[in-house]
Amino acid sequence: MSLKNKVQLITYPDSMGGDLRTLNAILSEHFLDVFTGGVHILPPFPSSGDRGFAPLTYLEIEPRFGTWEDIRAIGEKFDILIDLMVNHISRQSLYFQDFLAKGRSSEYADLFLTLDKIWEDGVPIQEDIDKMFLRRPLPYSTFEAGGKQERVWTTFGKTDPSEQIDLDVCSTQTRQLLRTFFENFKRQNIKIVRLDAVGFVIKKLGTSCFFVEPDICEFLDEVKALADSLALELLPEVHAHYSTQFKLAERGFWIYDFILPYRILEAILTKNATELKRYLTIRPHKQFTMLDCHDGIPVKPDLDELINTELARKVVDICVQRGANLSLILSDEHKAEDGFDVHQIRCTYYSALGEDDDAYLASRAIQFFTPGIPQVYYTGLFAGVNDLNRVKETGEGREINRHNYTVEEINLALGEEVVQRLLKLIRFRNTYPAFDGEFQVLESPDSEIRLRWSKADKSCLLIVDLSSKHSVIQYIDKHGLLADYRI
């Protein structure tokens, strides 16, 4: 299939009304002409943690969300993007529970990375661990399995032992399991599969165990061949130095633009678009663009060597003053020389911009004019503010941008001027024909940005004045006349 160059929605299965059936009703009533690019439904599977990202299986839907029938019903109107946590599966999955009961005699034992697959005697060496890009203090967890102690690789997880057990992607058994999951997605009318945490799948001593080349590329090529055979699109999710993303783009993959959210934020907060404009001239076009998501605004390592850390600290400080919290880099080796260690800024994008409607609409306009497929996270759709109470209740910093909206809250949000302005902008992005044409970054003062699209007799020019935060689109209308659309 070919992806539609239209705006997509990102939402949890229960964040817009409580379940998939209500989500379908809301999408059908309010957003049929808005999210014509599709809907990314964050993991709707049975899960034991990390808000869906510790899945027990991909063959079932969590009953409190609904059924596969509900997914297929949404898929009749919208192309659906779904996540596959290719790096790991839940500790509570039948696969790992069988391993815990039977140990190495389990029929699923080879799915997992016991440490003897990494270190010959199964004893970890700290010198090797020090080189790794860690997401927790140690990359393994210890379990009692089949009556003996087993140490198993676990990249992620805040508990010890972790809820997220890494899969051994070099195992034939794991490859077959992934095939089973992909084939089920095809049957359920899924169109796009996002490979979550794919950068961590290769573990090799002497490396960072993150995006290990050429092994990772060989693995991705194999998965792409599988996806192609089922007419599914792939979207690898890799938070890494920008050059890593660019390598994936060179190999023909869709990639995420994890640089754009910070660059736009920096430009608006500092009223200077110099670095943003420079970036827009060098980035690959085959990207999914976003400003906000279920995690945070990426900083390191995505923008390593692209940002001035002194300026970055000022940007981060403004966000923190506005209620944000931070995810930090664990490994000293991956911190900046001056100690700057911000991995992600956790907040809503609307709050990061001081809940300023004009600034927020300017940021969305720049995103929509940037080449690629734009995604809008559901809290961004409703111009949501930081949910500090959820952070206090759960102790999870990312919950600041994960508010669950009731139907009543959605109806109220739809009445807000800022939301109606955003919906109008999305409709323009979806329907104006020049967005399938040629893109240009035009010369402009540092405090201004001018982005132009043109195709045949149609063209549209976005002008954002960062000093006033006002934005206007000059475009050729259906009568061939020059028109102004003040966002």
Side-chain angles (χ1 to χ4, degrees):
M1 65 166 288
S2 58
L3 298 181
K4 297 168 184 169
N5 183 19
K6 315 287 185 184
V7 180
Q8 292 186 356
L9 171 70
I10 309 171
T11 182
Y12 283 99
D14 57 339
S15 286
M16 291 176 62
D19 57 34
L20 290 165
R21 186 170 296 184
T22 308
L23 172 63
N24 187 22
I26 290 168
L27 290 173
S28 300
E29 181 178 357
H30 299 292
F31 302 112
L32 278 177
D33 65 338
V34 176
F35 297 112
T36 51
V39 180
H40 177 181
I41 301 176
L42 293 163
F45 316 108
S47 171
S48 60
D50 200 11
R51 191 144 183 189
F53 284 84
L56 277 67
T57 179
Y58 296 88
L59 304 179
E60 302 169 17
I61 298 298
E62 167 59 43
R64 65 189 174 91
F65 299 151
T67 66
W68 278 116
E69 184 178 353
D70 297 319
I71 294 283
R72 292 195 300 273
I74 296 171
E76 289 173 6
K77 303 164 193 167
F78 303 89
D79 288 351
I80 294 179
L81 188 160
I82 214 93
D83 293 273
L84 178 64
M85 276 56 78
V86 68
N87 179 71
H88 54 263
I89 202 156
S90 171
R91 176 168 62 146
Q92 308 303 327
S93 66
L94 69 88
Y95 314 106
F96 195 69
Q97 286 297 304
D98 194 76
F99 173 71
L100 290 180
K102 301 173 184 175
R104 299 296 177 101
S105 63
S106 167
E107 62 180 299
Y108 304 115
D110 200 40
L111 288 174
F112 310 110
L113 267 169
T114 49
L115 291 200
D116 57 295
K117 290 184 176 182
I118 307 297
W119 289 278
E120 190 172 337
D121 57 3
V123 178
I125 299 172
Q126 190 61 44
E127 185 180 346
D128 293 323
I129 293 174
D130 289 341
K131 296 175 183 176
M132 298 173 186
F133 179 40
L134 298 178
R135 298 303 302 274
R136 59 202 305 270
L138 289 175
Y140 60 86
S141 296
T142 304
F143 298 92
E144 190 76 21
K148 62 176 290 189
Q149 192 178 80
E150 291 281 7
R151 284 183 284 200
V152 180
W153 202 281
T154 51
T155 299
F156 298 96
K158 293 189 174 181
T159 60
D160 189 23
S162 174
E163 276 296 322
Q164 293 155 298
I165 312 298
D166 283 38
L167 294 166
D168 179 4
V169 298
C170 296
S171 161
T172 301
Q173 192 175 31
T174 299
R175 299 296 177 96
Q176 183 53 53
L177 185 63
L178 294 177
R179 173 176 285 277
T180 299
F181 294 153
F182 269 91
E183 289 172 346
N184 182 56
F185 289 160
K186 178 65 176 179
R187 286 193 298 272
Q188 307 301 344
N189 201 22
I190 303 302
K191 296 295 195 298
I192 313 161
V193 179
R194 175 183 183 263
L195 296 179
D196 182 78
V198 69
F200 293 93
V201 299
I202 303 297
K203 285 80 175 177
K204 184 176 281 190
L205 294 185
T207 75
S208 67
C209 291
F210 180 82
F211 208 86
V212 179
E213 299 181 85
D215 311 59
I216 183 66
C217 295
E218 293 168 1
F219 172 76
L220 281 168
D221 287 345
E222 288 182 31
V223 177
K224 188 174 188 303
L226 170 59
D228 288 348
S229 72
L230 298 169
L232 293 167
E233 286 283 356
L234 277 188
L235 176 58
E237 185 256 0
V238 179
H239 281 287
H241 188 278
Y242 70 93
S243 60
T244 300
Q245 294 275 34
F246 288 10
K247 287 176 186 175
L248 285 174
E250 289 169 4
R251 297 180 75 89
F253 287 97
W254 282 96
I255 60 173
Y256 269 112
D257 192 339
F258 288 135
I259 298 170
L260 189 66
Y262 176 86
R263 276 289 177 236
I264 291 177
L265 180 66
E266 175 191 68
I268 292 178
L269 293 182
T270 65
K271 300 181 173 58
N272 189 318
T274 303
E275 293 301 328
L276 172 61
K277 288 185 283 189
R278 180 180 293 124
Y279 171 63
L280 291 176
T281 63
I282 65 167
R283 65 184 288 281
H285 285 194
K286 191 175 179 180
Q287 301 201 56
F288 279 61
T289 69
M290 39 79 82
L291 296 183
D292 41 10
C293 68
H294 66 283
D295 282 337
I297 299 167
V299 185
K300 287 182 63 64
D302 305 85
L303 284 107
D304 283 352
E305 298 180 22
L306 290 179
I307 54 172
N308 174 302
T309 53
E310 185 177 345
L311 177 58
R313 286 182 192 277
K314 294 178 182 177
V315 170
V316 169
D317 286 346
I318 291 172
C319 294
V320 170
Q321 289 165 12
R322 292 171 174 175
N325 64 75
L326 307 175
S327 168
L328 304 177
I329 294 287
L330 287 181
S331 306
D332 289 338
E333 185 177 336
H334 295 93
K335 296 176 182 178
E337 287 185 9
D338 64 357
F340 183 72
D341 60 354
V342 178
H343 175 50
Q344 293 179 346
I345 307 168
R346 296 165 171 168
C347 60
T348 74
Y349 214 83
Y350 186 62
S351 289
L353 292 172
E355 300 173 24
D356 181 320
D357 292 1
D358 287 341
Y360 183 61
L361 271 295
S363 71
R364 286 295 177 190
I366 296 168
Q367 179 200 2
F368 295 164
F369 267 71
T370 298
I373 296 176
Q375 293 186 316
V376 175
Y377 185 57
Y378 74 98
T379 60
L381 169 65
F382 301 126
V385 299
N386 290 334
D387 192 339
L388 302 178
N389 287 332
R390 280 291 295 167
V391 176
K392 290 178 184 176
E393 290 168 11
T394 63
E396 169 57 72
R398 292 175 296 179
E399 288 293 317
I400 196 169
N401 194 22
R402 296 179 177 180
H403 180 76
N404 287 333
Y405 285 80
T406 64
V407 173
E408 291 74 21
E409 286 176 317
I410 290 170
N411 288 330
L412 284 173
L414 287 170
E416 295 291 334
E417 181 186 1
V418 63
V419 175
Q420 285 301 313
R421 289 168 67 189
L422 176 58
L423 293 176
K424 181 180 178 182
L425 181 59
I426 292 173
R427 291 185 176 105
F428 181 88
R429 173 61 177 79
N430 285 339
T431 57
Y432 196 74
F435 288 104
D436 288 319
E438 180 184 351
F439 171 74
Q440 293 173 284
V441 180
L442 303 185
E443 290 289 328
S444 62
D446 292 346
S447 61
E448 186 177 280
I449 186 163
R450 291 176 173 248
L451 308 178
R452 185 175 189 269
W453 283 92
S454 55
K455 182 179 181 183
D457 62 342
K458 292 290 188 289
S459 67
C460 54
L461 171 65
L462 171 68
I463 304 170
V464 177
D465 181 342
L466 296 173
S467 297
S468 66
K469 300 168 192 165
H470 291 162
S471 310
V472 63
I473 298 172
Q474 297 176 347
Y475 68 101
I476 304 299
D477 67 15
K478 61 183 178 180
H479 304 296
L481 302 175
L482 183 64
D484 275 6
Y485 162 25
R486 297 192 179 277
I487 298 171

